[in-house]
Amino acid sequence: GAVVSQHPSRVICKSGTSVKIECRSLDFQATTMFWYRQFPKKSLMLMATSNEGSKATYEQGVEKDKFLINHASLTLSTLTVTSAHPEDSSFYICSASRHGVTDTQYFGPGTRLTVL
Amino acid sequence: EDKVVQSPLSLVVHEGDTVTLNCSYEVTNFRSLLWYKQEKKAPTFLFMLTSSGIEKKSGRLSSILDKKELFSILNITATQTGDSAIYLCAVEDNAGNNRKLIWGLGTSLAVNP
């Protein structure tokens, strides 16, 4: 159990367009979902934490109007990169936990975004 | 089906002990294996391993990969209470240039004083 999927796995878009990435917990209900960005040296930067039915909590330095997060159900959270630019190109990873921020996180396979 | 299995799931030791955490994998298009330490929210990157038999070392932590037997170990010597965390292993799969990470469930390590 505790499988997390992401869709799409890879997306290429033009600069200025918006891209939506989905994160789903397939076999459990996730009260909390997390969005990360992975940098070339493999470090993970937490972007935001979202609780089902409430607004996401963004980490310092992450623009909430640029990275829109919606956690409308206990099995789905979405990250929308609005007006994407080449510097937004990255590997985005989500994770999900059953019972909140201190509970075990289960990680998704990631989505590679390339903005041309 | 690709999978990454970590063992043990949970471990409790005393300060000063040495621990070995295991990560075995079955991944079709192996690219690299990553170790992370997760204490609060965001995992902290520890090591990336791509070649067999070459030990990566950072202080009291070291790791090695065996691509023939499909596993990696993470060693922590002279453990301290600050080593208490969840240690995550992930394998990068790169099928058709479509990269994805396959994660283990983690090993929860508790180091008691």
Side-chain angles (χ1 to χ4, degrees), chain B residues 57-70:
Chain B
K57 200 169 170 64
S58 176
R60 296 176 293 103
L61 276 66
S62 64
S63 183
I64 198 160
L65 174 68
D66 186 328
K67 290 171 74 174
K68 183 180 176 186
E69 299 297 328
L70 307 182

Side-chain angles (χ1 to χ4, degrees), chain A residues 1-2 9-10 34 36 38 41-44 46 49 59 91 93 101 104-109 112, chain B residues 31-32 34 36 38 40-43 45 48 86 88 92 96-105:
Chain A
S9 57
R10 186 181 181 192
F34 306 81
Y36 295 88
Q38 186 183 45
K41 291 198 173 181
K42 310 303 179 185
S43 64
L44 295 182
L46 178 65
T49 304
E59 297 298 305
F91 196 62
I93 299 169
V101 296
T104 302
Q105 291 180 44
Y106 301 99
F107 287 82
R112 173 170 293 288
Chain B
R31 178 176 177 172
S32 67
L34 310 172
Y36 289 89
Q38 185 174 25
K40 292 179 182 177
K41 281 198 253 183
F45 171 71
M48 181 173 83
I86 295 173
L88 293 163
E92 286 187 295
N97 206 30
N98 192 18
R99 180 179 172 235
K100 65 179 179 182
L101 285 171
I102 303 148
W103 295 83
L105 295 181

